[in-house]
Amino acid sequence: MDKLRMQSSNGVEDNIMKIAQLFPDCVTETVDERSGQPKHLIDFEKLKQNLSDSVMSERAERYQFTWPDKSKAILLANSPVNATLRPCREDSVDFDNTQNLYIEGDNLDVLKCLKETYLHKVKMIYIDPPYNTGNDFVYEDDFAQSSEEYLANSGQFDEQGNRMFTNAESNGRFHTDWLNMIYPRLKVARDLLTYDGVIFISIDDNEVENLRKVCDEVFGESNCIAQLIWEKKYTIANDAKYFSDVHDYILCYSKKKEFFHIGKLPRTAQMNAAYKNPDNHPKGPWKATPLHARSGSDSNANFSYTFKNGVVFTPPTGRFSAYSKETLKAMDDNNEIWFGKDGKSIPSRKTFLCDLKNDGVVPRTIISYSEGGHNHEADEEMKKLMEKKVFTSPKPTKLLHLLLTLGNINKEAIILDFFSGSATTAHAVMQLNSEDGGNRKFIMVQLPEKTDEKSEAFKAGYKNICEIGKERILRAGKKIKEESPLTTQDLDTGFRVLKLDSTNMQDIYYSPKDISQADLFSQVDNVKPDRTGEDLLFQVMLELGATLDSKIETTTVAGKTIYNVAEGYLVACFDPDVTDDVVKSIAQMQPAYAVLRDTSMKDDSTATNFEQIFKTYSPDTVTRIL
C-alpha cells in the first residue's frame, strides 16, 4: 500500500516537471535541507541557452510589470500548504444532499486545498476583492510593510541613504500590499477554470490599471475579453469635488479565448417595438436594414442589380455588397425588399422579428444600472432580506445574474466566488437555477472576518462575515422557493459548510527526521487526537480527487464505521482494531480507492492479509494508508 501525501500540491515541482518534458537537460538535482531527500532544480543558465541565441543581461531594458516582493508572491502561489477543510454539519443546510459548498478560511490556502480536485472544473469565477482605499488588508500574507521597508525595497533612497520622497503614506506602498495580496490568489485560481471558463473581477479606479496588468500576466493578454463599466449609481453627487463617481469596472478574462463563447442577452420589449408590419407581410413585423456594409465579399463588389420595380441598386463606392445578385433576386421575389413609402427610395432589406427572437443580443461593454442594478438597490435588497442593514456595499443580485448570462454558464456548471462577502453570487446562482431548471453549483469562500462591535450586524448577533453570508443564502433559498413553489421543488438551496484548519496529521507525518526518539512514545498515532473520521475523510477526498459535494454513505461492519464516497469511488475506514472481516467487507464493495489508517489493523495478521484480501475480491482497487 502507498501512503497518502495529505498535503496540497507543490506548484514549483509541477512547473519543473513541465520544463523537464521540453528541456530535460535543464533539470538537475539537489538535497532538500529540511527533509534530506533529493529534489529537482532548474539549471537556469542552460535554460537561457535553450531559449535564446543571445542571453539578455540583467540590466537590459525590457517591458515588465513588477513591484517589491513580487518574487515572494510567486513563490507563495506555488508553495504547498499543510492544511485541510473540516466539515461542519451543525452550520450546514441539507449536508447529506446538497451540492453547494460554503468554505470558511483564508482564500489562498483554501484555493490550494481545492486545486487538485477542482483542476479545470470551475466554469466561472466572480470575485469582488477588497478595493484599495489605502487601509490595511485582512489578507496580508506576511508581506505587509512599514513605509521604511517599502522605500528600501523599492529603491527610493539616494546614494547617501536619504529618502527620495517625503510622503511616507504614498499610494505606492499600498499598491504593493494590494498586489501581493491579489497576485497569488489569481495565479492559483486560474488553474481551477475549465478551458472555456471565464473570470469576472469587480474593481474601482484605484487598482484597475494594476489589476489589468496582473491579469494580463496570469491569464495572458490575449485572453482579455473586455473591461466592462458598471453604472453603480443612478444619482449624481453634487458635492463631489471634481466628478461624480458613478461607475466601477468589471474585468473579464477567459482561460482560453478560442474556447469561450459569450452569452447573449434576451431581447427586450423595447427592442421588439422597433419592428413594424406596414405592408402586412405574412412573416410578420420587420425592420429595414441597409443592403450594403463595410464588410463583404470582393466578388460581390462593383456590380449593379435592377429590381422588378425598376430601381437600380449599386453599392456605394468603397463598400461591398453583403449580397450577391442571386440573393437579391430571391429577396425581391419574396417581397423582402423595402423601397420606402414612395416605392422608389434606396432599397433596404426587411429584417424579420421572427428570424431574430432566438438569436439574443450581443452585450455592450457598458452595463447600465437598469441592466445590472445599482448600489442602492443592492443595499435595499439585502436589508429587506436580512431585516436589518448588516452588510456594507453588497453587489446587487441583478448584476451577478447578468454576469452568469454573459459567462454562458451551462446548467451543470460550478461557480466559484472566493471573496464571497454577503454571498450575492450564491443567491444569483439559486435564482437562475429556479428560472431555467438548472443544477448549477456554487462554492463560496470567505474569511471569517469579525464584524465591528458597533455595527448593526454585530448587534443583530452576527459575529463575523461568514455568519452573514450563510444566513443570507438560507433566507434567499427560502424566499425563492416561496415565490415559485411549483417549479422549485427540487431546487438545491442547501450548502455544505467546511472550515479551513491545520492538517489532520501530526508533524511526524511530514517530517519524521525532526522528531526526537523521546517524542515518538507520545506520538504513536500520526493523526491529531481532536480529529474525527469525517475530518480525515474530507482530507482524503481532496487528495484522491473526490469533489467535496460528493454523496457520502455510512455503514457499520463489526462495530466499525465505513464511509462510501460517490457510490464506490472511495471507501474508507478510520476506526482502530479493524479485523479481516471489515477489510473483506470493504474489498467486496470493489471501490476505486480504499483507505485505512496506518494504525487501524487489529494485529499483524490483519496487516499481512490486507493485500491478499483485496487481490481476491477487488484486484483493481487502489489501496492507500494514512
Side-chain angles (χ1 to χ4, degrees):
M1 287 185 292
D2 293 328
K3 197 169 185 178
L4 289 166
R5 186 179 67 244
M6 302 295 276
Q7 183 184 57
S8 70
S9 64
N10 187 326
V12 173
E13 185 68 21
D14 292 342
N15 291 333
I16 289 175
M17 290 300 99
K18 292 175 184 177
I19 292 176
Q21 293 176 4
L22 297 173
F23 308 106
D25 60 315
C26 296
V27 179
T28 183
E29 293 183 2
T30 187
V31 176
D32 187 271
E33 295 180 358
R34 179 172 174 79
S35 66
Q37 299 298 314
K39 68 175 185 179
H40 292 104
L41 283 180
I42 296 296
D43 186 329
F44 286 101
E45 291 302 319
K46 283 189 176 181
L47 186 60
K48 286 180 181 179
Q49 294 172 14
N50 277 277
L51 295 176
S52 177
D53 55 2
S54 61
V55 178
M56 178 181 289
S57 69
E58 293 297 323
R59 293 179 176 271
E61 291 182 350
R62 56 191 179 276
Y63 179 82
Q64 59 181 327
F65 177 53
T66 190
W67 61 88
D69 278 332
K70 180 181 180 181
S71 59
K72 290 184 181 178
I74 295 173
L75 289 173
L76 182 64
N78 289 326
S79 63
V81 58
N82 293 335
T84 190
L85 300 176
R86 300 178 66 184
C88 182
R89 283 182 173 270
E90 56 269 28
D91 288 359
S92 302
V93 175
D94 197 17
F95 183 96
D96 290 322
N97 300 305
T98 185
Q99 293 182 293
N100 300 316
L101 301 175
Y102 190 98
I103 305 175
E104 299 183 24
D106 182 286
N107 50 19
L108 180 57
D109 286 349
V110 171
L111 288 171
K112 289 183 179 183
C113 288
L114 296 177
K115 181 177 176 180
E116 287 186 86
T117 299
Y118 287 88
L119 188 70
H120 310 321
K121 290 182 180 178
V122 176
K123 179 65 169 68
M124 171 178 153
I125 297 174
Y126 169 77
I127 57 171
D128 182 17
Y131 288 1
N132 188 1
T133 59
N135 298 320
D136 292 333
F137 294 109
V138 176
Y139 300 89
E140 290 183 339
D141 300 326
D142 296 326
F143 289 141
Q145 305 176 67
S146 67
S147 299
E148 288 74 18
E149 289 173 327
Y150 168 74
L151 293 170
N153 288 343
S154 57
Q156 295 182 24
F157 283 93
D158 63 20
E159 294 179 357
Q160 287 73 41
N162 299 314
R163 192 167 62 203
M164 297 172 67
F165 298 94
T166 58
N167 183 7
E169 294 298 319
S170 64
N171 281 341
R173 177 167 73 92
F174 299 120
H175 286 310
T176 292
D177 290 346
W178 194 86
L179 288 167
N180 281 324
M181 179 276 295
I182 199 69
Y183 185 89
R185 288 164 172 80
L186 291 179
K187 195 166 176 61
V188 179
R190 179 188 178 276
D191 292 333
L192 304 183
L193 282 174
T194 59
Y195 289 112
D196 64 343
V198 62
I199 182 170
F200 294 97
I201 309 173
S202 288
I203 197 67
D204 68 353
D205 283 301
N206 291 316
E207 292 294 347
V208 65
E209 292 184 14
N210 286 333
L211 179 60
R212 183 151 184 174
K213 290 186 177 73
V214 167
C215 288
D216 283 347
E217 184 170 317
V218 172
F219 296 97
E221 187 175 357
S222 62
N223 290 316
C224 179
I225 302 298
Q227 180 171 307
L228 307 175
I229 296 174
W230 169 51
E231 193 178 15
K232 65 180 180 180
K233 296 178 183 177
Y234 66 94
T235 56
I236 296 175
N238 285 319
D239 58 347
K241 187 175 181 179
Y242 299 111
F243 290 92
S244 179
D245 177 22
V246 297
H247 76 278
D248 275 348
Y249 300 96
I250 301 174
L251 298 189
C252 176
Y253 280 75
S254 62
K255 177 71 168 287
K256 289 185 178 292
K257 199 171 188 177
E258 61 268 30
F259 297 122
F260 175 69
H261 299 285
I262 196 74
K264 293 185 179 180
L265 302 177
R267 299 185 61 83
T268 65
Q270 184 178 2
M271 293 175 183
N272 294 340
Y275 291 78
K276 310 292 183 182
N277 195 3
D279 60 349
N280 295 317
H281 196 285
K283 290 185 69 175
W286 51 267
K287 184 173 73 172
T289 306
L291 282 174
H292 52 76
R294 290 191 180 275
S295 60
S297 171
D298 286 326
S299 63
N300 294 335
N302 303 319
F303 73 92
S304 295
Y305 177 79
T306 302
F307 290 98
K308 289 187 294 185
N309 65 354
V311 172
V312 178
F313 170 69
T314 302
T317 304
R319 297 193 178 193
F320 298 148
S321 173
Y323 309 100
S324 64
K325 288 183 179 181
E326 292 76 17
T327 303
L328 291 174
K329 183 180 186 306
M331 290 192 293
D332 194 15
D333 292 340
N334 293 326
N335 189 25
E336 294 180 0
I337 300 295
W338 174 246
F339 298 94
K341 292 182 179 179
D342 61 0
K344 297 295 182 180
S345 298
I346 296 175
S348 298
R349 179 190 180 184
K350 295 177 182 178
T351 301
F352 293 92
L353 180 60
C354 63
D355 294 332
L356 298 175
K357 283 188 174 181
N358 296 324
D359 287 351
V361 180
V362 175
R364 305 182 306 156
T365 54
I366 297 177
I367 301 173
S368 67
Y369 64 76
S370 61
E371 295 174 294
H374 48 76
N375 285 346
H376 180 69
E377 177 183 317
D379 285 335
E380 289 301 309
E381 177 184 40
M382 187 74 175
K383 185 177 179 180
K384 184 177 180 180
L385 185 66
M386 305 296 286
E387 299 176 350
K388 287 185 178 180
K389 184 177 175 61
V390 296
F391 196 86
T392 304
S393 302
K395 288 293 184 288
T397 306
K398 196 173 184 178
L399 176 64
L400 269 298
H401 192 291
L402 175 64
L403 296 182
L404 288 166
T405 301
L406 299 182
N408 204 13
I409 310 304
N410 63 71
K411 292 185 178 183
E412 298 294 327
I414 298 174
I415 296 93
L416 168 65
D417 184 342
F418 55 88
F419 285 98
S420 173
S422 65
T424 302
T425 302
H427 189 162
V429 170
M430 293 188 296
Q431 184 66 51
L432 182 58
N433 283 340
S434 73
E435 293 170 2
D436 66 4
N439 187 36
R440 300 170 187 86
K441 298 164 276 288
F442 63 74
I443 302 176
M444 300 292 104
V445 182
Q446 177 60 44
L447 188 75
E449 182 182 350
K450 294 181 180 179
T451 54
D452 190 321
E453 293 185 5
K454 297 179 182 179
S455 67
E456 288 295 318
F458 187 87
K459 293 175 183 177
Y462 301 107
K463 300 301 186 293
N464 62 58
I465 293 178
C466 291
E467 293 181 2
I468 297 173
K470 289 181 289 188
E471 182 65 20
R472 194 260 180 90
I473 298 172
L474 179 65
R475 294 189 181 204
K478 182 179 179 181
K479 180 174 181 288
I480 291 169
K481 285 194 169 185
E482 289 176 348
E483 291 176 346
S484 305
L486 299 180
T487 59
T488 59
Q489 296 175 351
D490 298 324
L491 180 66
D492 184 0
T493 58
F495 50 91
R496 183 176 283 183
V497 175
L498 304 165
K499 297 186 178 184
L500 182 73
D501 205 336
S502 62
T503 177
N504 295 310
M505 314 309 292
Q506 299 275 21
D507 290 341
I508 187 174
Y509 187 89
Y510 300 104
S511 305
K513 78 181 191 69
D514 294 336
I515 306 297
S516 68
Q517 189 171 4
D519 293 333
L520 291 176
F521 292 102
S522 62
Q523 296 186 359
V524 175
D525 197 344
N526 59 10
V527 176
K528 292 177 180 176
D530 64 331
R531 303 306 165 96
T532 66
E534 203 162 59
D535 289 335
L536 295 172
L537 179 67
F538 273 81
Q539 189 165 1
V540 170
M541 286 167 63
L542 282 172
E543 175 123 357
L544 297 180
T547 57
L548 296 173
D549 63 338
S550 297
K551 187 79 172 178
I552 302 172
E553 299 174 320
T554 58
T555 56
T556 302
V557 176
K560 308 302 178 185
T561 300
I562 297 176
Y563 298 97
N564 186 335
V565 179
E567 298 180 340
Y569 177 80
L570 163 66
V571 175
C573 178
F574 305 110
D575 290 343
D577 299 325
V578 169
T579 63
D580 286 0
D581 290 338
V582 176
V583 174
K584 180 180 176 182
S585 295
I586 295 174
Q588 287 176 330
M589 295 180 185
Q590 297 186 331
Y593 291 94
V595 179
L596 285 85
R597 286 170 66 166
D598 197 12
T599 57
S600 289
M601 309 301 178
K602 183 176 182 180
D603 49 40
D604 292 341
S605 174
T606 301
T608 302
N609 295 336
F610 183 91
E611 293 287 354
Q612 187 58 47
I613 292 173
F614 271 91
K615 286 181 180 179
T616 302
Y617 293 98
S618 187
D620 294 330
T621 296
V622 178
T623 57
R624 294 282 189 268
I625 61 169
L626 57 85

